[in-house]
Amino acid sequence: MIVTVTVNPSFDRTIDLTAPLQRGQVQRAFRSTQEPGGKGVNVSRALHAAGCPTLALLPGAPDDPLILALGAARIPAESVPVEAPIRSNTTVTEPDGTTTKLNEPGAPVDEATTDALIALIVQRSAAASWLVLAGSLPPGAPDDFYARIVAAVQSEAALSGRSAPAIAVDSSGSPLAAAVASGASIALIKPNGDELLELAAASGIAVPALASDDFEADDDAVIAVAHDLLDRAPALGSLLVTLGARGALLVSRDEVLAARAPVIVARSTVGAGDCSLAGYLLAAERGDDVAGRLAQAVAHGAAAASLPGSRVPSLELTHPDEILVSQRPRIAAGRR
């Protein structure tokens, strides 16, 4: 089973336009949809749609619309009760796939809530194969909250004489940097290009003087930064670096794999990265090798981007056998 943690969930509303967004004008939408959201919730939704056992953990009142929506969709979830309502995020998609997101701040959490979340995570992840820590942190949660969760889970596993679940982290900024710097064993992180540059800079790594789009288009630059990060974080296993329409790179100390995304008509990129992570984990659960995991990750992300709103694909909509995966050489530091 794969357990996901979403500390800052959201009820995501997507508005689809028939024409490009025009600021300051009145426009009519042809469709509006609403789905439970937040990175970890999206991963669980995608895993559930693919028939993979999962459990989503999050803060939220039992009668919160998001919690009720998860129940209605039969997605296994447990929550730590809080009084404040779960935030709502709004996404506007244009006909060419351009996506504009308006994310509300999360409701503040106090120490009692974060302690209760850690206790629930430790308990429910005891039998999990993977534990996914995903998304931003709400006000009140300390920057090292993910690092604290990892420490608590791994400490309890050691005391109980059992194996801890493999840890995957999909976040950004200070929470991701603190988790990587903690020295705890993390099997996988899933940054995009911007998040990788941000993490590298926070880790004291000299980053290439490239614009974000140029960096993501330069595999050698991405690989070099990823290996610099692995050199500085000995407890970090691999990086799944998603590159949007270009595909993804899977970088470990032993090898580098590249997978190119298929040509699709993008309808919405909301949750595509979350679905990529779900695809990787799904393939890991069924015993695929690293190339198969990367192929499923890219296939899942592409399938999600081809769907409207924040819908997640069924397994039948993904085509990992059509994804070309190739080996790339390690790029040593100083060769950027």
Side-chain angles (χ1 to χ4, degrees):
M1 181 179 66
I2 297 173
V3 173
T4 69
V5 175
T6 309
V7 190
N8 202 17
S10 59
F11 209 4
D12 291 343
R13 184 184 184 194
T14 302
I15 300 172
D16 296 313
L17 301 179
T18 57
L21 177 66
Q22 298 183 34
R23 294 179 61 196
Q25 302 298 314
V26 174
Q27 290 182 257
R28 295 189 182 277
F30 78 91
R31 178 174 48 214
S32 176
T33 57
Q34 200 161 14
E35 297 280 1
K39 282 184 170 295
V41 169
N42 287 338
V43 171
S44 278
R45 289 174 57 222
L47 290 170
H48 180 74
C52 180
T54 185
L55 173 66
L57 304 178
L58 64 159
D63 60 350
D64 190 278
L66 185 146
I67 303 298
L68 295 176
L70 287 172
R74 300 183 182 277
I75 297 170
E78 291 188 36
S79 63
V80 170
V82 294
E83 293 185 4
I86 292 174
R87 64 180 175 150
S88 295
N89 292 339
T90 301
T91 299
V92 179
T93 62
E94 301 175 50
D96 66 354
T98 299
T99 301
T100 303
K101 297 191 69 175
L102 303 173
N103 290 351
E104 295 182 2
V109 295
D110 56 20
E111 186 175 357
T113 300
T114 56
D115 287 348
L117 277 167
I118 290 177
L120 179 63
I121 293 163
V122 168
Q123 182 183 30
R124 293 295 183 258
S125 64
S129 52
W130 283 87
L131 173 63
V132 181
L133 309 176
S136 61
L137 298 178
D143 286 346
D144 67 346
F145 188 54
Y146 286 149
R148 295 185 188 184
I149 293 173
V150 176
V153 168
Q154 294 178 345
S155 176
E156 177 62 26
L159 288 172
S160 302
R162 56 175 171 75
S163 297
I167 305 292
V169 181
D170 182 8
S171 187
S172 60
S174 297
L176 177 59
V180 171
S182 69
S185 178
I186 297 174
L188 182 76
I189 60 173
K190 195 217 69 64
N192 59 28
D194 281 340
E195 291 161 350
L196 178 58
L197 284 175
E198 185 180 40
L199 175 60
S203 303
I205 296 170
V207 298
L210 295 172
S212 174
D213 289 346
D214 293 334
F215 175 67
E216 289 193 345
D218 187 339
D219 281 0
D220 287 351
V222 174
I223 294 167
V225 170
H227 273 303
D228 281 353
L229 186 62
L230 287 168
D231 289 343
R232 295 198 180 209
L236 177 59
S238 301
L239 293 85
L240 173 61
V241 186
T242 51
L243 304 172
R246 296 192 65 251
L249 291 166
L250 184 62
V251 184
S252 69
R253 291 173 181 81
D254 299 325
E255 64 182 333
V256 179
L257 298 176
R260 293 296 168 237
V263 177
I264 62 166
V265 176
R267 302 182 69 182
S268 172
T269 59
V270 179
D274 308 328
C275 288
S276 292
L277 178 55
Y280 179 96
L281 298 173
L282 172 68
E285 285 290 270
R286 67 189 182 205
D288 289 11
D289 61 15
V290 289
R293 298 178 191 187
L294 180 58
Q296 188 66 62
V298 171
H300 243 86
S306 69
L307 297 174
S310 56
R311 287 177 55 189
V312 298
S314 64
L315 193 57
E316 292 74 20
L317 293 178
T318 70
H319 303 286
D321 54 315
E322 298 178 4
I323 304 298
L324 177 63
V325 177
S326 59
Q327 285 197 323
R328 296 294 307 273
R330 175 180 175 130
I331 307 298
R335 288 182 54 194
R336 300 189 186 96

